[in-house]
Amino acid sequence: MTVHFPFQNSYSALPDSFFARVAPTPVAAPRLIKLNRPLAVQLGLDPDMLETAEGAEILAGKTVPPGADPIAMAYAGHQFGQFVPQLGDGRAILLGEVIDKDGIRRDIQLKGSGPTPFSRRGDGRAALGPVLREYIVSEAMFALGIPTTRSLAAVVTGEHVIRETALPGAVLTRIAASHIRVGTFQFFAVRRDTDAIRRLADHVITRHYPDLLHAERPYHALLAAVVARQAELVARWLLVGFIHGVMNTDNTSISGETIDYGPCAFMDAYNPAQVFSSIDEMGRYAYANQPRIALWNLTRLAECLLPLFSDEQEKAVAEAQDILGAFAETFSAAYQTGLRKKVGLFTDRDGDEALIQDLLEAMARNQADFTLTFRKLGEAAGDDAADARAQFMDPTAFDEWAKRWRERTALEPQSAAERQAAMHAVNPVFIPRNHRVEAVIQAAVNDDNYAPFEELVKVLAKPFEDQPEYAAYADPPLPDQRVLQTFCGT
């Protein structure tokens, strides 16, 4: 029997300047270590077949399945503010697209599948650690309800890759609404290829924003739609304490999905200036900077679209600025609405923003754990405040705030049980804690032991459920377990 992929290939039907045709480089001895069976079914694929030796060869890039049209996509990008006119998929190959059970077109891409014309002297491979990190965190983000690329499979290649040392090689099968980025538009803008920008914009509208096909000004509407999605996405990151780590324009998805899980991390103790990425020495992509950077990236997209807005530069710039001006309001509305839900407020009243901000400031001063403070606050809605106040170095800081919070919640008709249920529905108990992710990676890399990985993935699939048998996974790290830096893994 043959593993069947019902491929459609709309992106590879675009002009040759959009990509390079290149096949994955075969690997020695592929072995499937994880298949996301529910996702395979959602994509219309046969999980039993994918778990065969033939399936492992396809997922490792050793065999190209019928119907695939393998390409490496071209793009440019601002990396930590510095523009690079040509980046592109240096270690990833898009096999093709499938239509999932909901009628949505999805890319199937292999990460770590060998060199491409965009590899810039790199080996095009991926080490096992970063593959496991992306699998864990992207699937956790999905379970948290945050738009994200997803992970279909992880395969070890039977080969080593050389980084600081020899490490097991691996390939991740990544699923995305598409892999089109702000940097994709920049690739053509820097070449002053307006026809290609228009062609790309038309493709994006058809694929991601079909309701704009008949808009009076479709390219203006496209920018507005991308601005709205990015504003809402970054708000959702902040609401769960997520730090992307490398918010370059080539890591900013036009579809509004979280993409590229390199040195990403979730905060333990709340700190707005928190940075984990080893290469973010200036804190450009710190937790609280993410909304500002998202707008900066969107401004780069707007610059690319100016030729489609108007032949008059001043008019085009003014129109773009007007659209970009909506970012702050959209972000603030999404963020403040989310914060109100996290503290169990069902209505919007004067003073709510200040009340919530005071909590955040108290959390920062007292090194309170971000995730557990909000989760335990839900329990405090039912009068059990012990665990919430225990998150604070000075518990009286919580007591002072909680008195005001209870006065505020008393103005609403919901019962304590209703409030607690609503808060528990938005405040996870389980996140991919950095020390847990690192422990899983070490067990796999050092001992070829994937049981800890399987268990962590299982726990994170139900982040809002208490799961008493896995309660230890909710604990923040002990001082000697803290992970202070994360790495890109390229």
Side-chain angles (χ1 to χ4, degrees), residues 11-35:
Y11 200 83
S12 64
L14 293 168
D16 289 348
S17 58
F18 283 61
F19 52 81
R21 280 197 161 82
V22 55
T25 303
V27 297
R31 173 167 59 97
L32 181 67
I33 55 175
K34 181 64 176 177
L35 177 70

Side-chain angles (χ1 to χ4, degrees), residues 135-262:
Y135 193 107
I136 292 165
V137 182
S138 64
E139 286 304 301
M141 291 285 272
F142 173 75
L144 288 165
I146 297 171
T148 178
T149 60
R150 299 195 61 192
S151 297
L152 175 63
V155 177
V156 286
T157 61
E159 300 175 355
H160 282 88
V161 297
I162 305 300
R163 298 298 181 254
E164 289 80 8
T165 183
L167 296 167
V171 177
L172 178 83
T173 305
R174 181 163 70 183
I175 308 301
S178 83
H179 287 83
I180 301 168
R181 312 146 187 268
V182 169
T184 317
F185 282 89
Q186 290 181 294
F187 180 82
F188 297 109
V190 73
R191 290 161 177 78
R192 301 184 184 279
D193 190 343
T194 303
D195 287 341
I197 295 171
R198 189 184 307 277
R199 187 80 176 260
L200 180 60
D202 289 343
H203 178 86
V204 167
I205 289 171
T206 300
R207 182 163 182 171
H208 295 301
Y209 303 93
D211 54 322
L212 306 182
L213 282 169
H214 303 294
E216 183 178 344
R217 299 193 302 177
Y219 305 122
H220 294 71
L222 171 61
L223 178 60
V226 177
V227 166
R229 283 197 190 177
Q230 283 293 325
E232 290 166 0
L233 176 66
V234 174
R236 295 173 85 164
W237 290 355
L238 266 59
L239 291 167
V240 295
F242 177 74
I243 303 168
H244 185 281
V246 276
M247 286 181 67
N248 299 329
T249 57
D250 55 293
N251 293 337
T252 302
S253 167
I254 295 297
S255 70
E257 291 180 317
T258 313
I259 191 170
D260 284 319
Y261 292 92

Side-chain angles (χ1 to χ4, degrees), residues 34 135-136 139 452-462:
K34 181 64 176 177
Y135 193 107
I136 292 165
E139 286 304 301
F453 166 73
E454 290 282 358
E455 186 165 276
L456 181 58
V457 169
K458 178 182 177 181
V459 172
L460 295 174
K462 298 177 179 178

Side-chain angles (χ1 to χ4, degrees), residues 411-473:
L411 301 175
E412 298 188 336
Q414 286 77 20
S415 68
E418 288 171 329
R419 191 175 312 282
Q420 184 178 86
M423 292 173 71
H424 278 1
V426 297
N427 290 320
V429 62
F430 299 108
I431 56 167
R433 299 242 179 213
N434 303 322
H435 67 296
R436 288 285 184 181
V437 174
E438 289 300 325
V440 159
I441 289 171
Q442 292 307 311
V445 171
N446 297 334
D447 303 321
D448 197 33
N449 178 9
Y450 295 95
F453 166 73
E454 290 282 358
E455 186 165 276
L456 181 58
V457 169
K458 178 182 177 181
V459 172
L460 295 174
K462 298 177 179 178
F464 301 104
E465 297 181 18
D466 281 321
Q467 304 183 67
E469 66 273 35
Y470 299 117
Y473 281 90

Side-chain angles (χ1 to χ4, degrees), residues 40-195:
V41 172
Q42 175 66 20
L43 295 170
L45 306 176
D46 183 342
D48 292 332
M49 293 306 300
L50 288 173
E51 287 182 334
T52 65
E54 181 189 356
E57 290 193 353
I58 291 171
L59 296 168
K62 187 172 184 179
T63 302
V64 177
D69 191 1
I71 60 172
M73 295 171 63
Y75 50 84
H78 277 89
Q79 300 194 315
F80 290 87
Q82 301 299 312
F83 185 66
V84 182
Q86 180 166 302
L87 293 167
D89 289 331
R91 61 186 183 123
I93 292 176
L94 175 63
L95 291 181
E97 306 150 15
V98 298
I99 308 299
D100 73 10
K101 292 292 183 68
D102 295 328
I104 299 172
R105 184 178 297 270
R106 303 286 184 188
D107 281 358
I108 298 181
Q109 184 197 66
L110 302 181
K111 285 189 70 177
S113 50
T116 78
F118 304 113
S119 294
R120 295 184 294 169
R121 298 187 299 281
D123 61 9
R125 292 303 190 189
L128 177 59
V131 164
L132 295 183
R133 174 179 288 274
E134 177 152 354
Y135 193 107
I136 292 165
V137 182
S138 64
E139 286 304 301
M141 291 285 272
F142 173 75
L144 288 165
I146 297 171
T148 178
T149 60
R150 299 195 61 192
S151 297
L152 175 63
V155 177
V156 286
T157 61
E159 300 175 355
H160 282 88
V161 297
I162 305 300
R163 298 298 181 254
E164 289 80 8
T165 183
L167 296 167
V171 177
L172 178 83
T173 305
R174 181 163 70 183
I175 308 301
S178 83
H179 287 83
I180 301 168
R181 312 146 187 268
V182 169
T184 317
F185 282 89
Q186 290 181 294
F187 180 82
F188 297 109
V190 73
R191 290 161 177 78
R192 301 184 184 279
D193 190 343
T194 303
D195 287 341

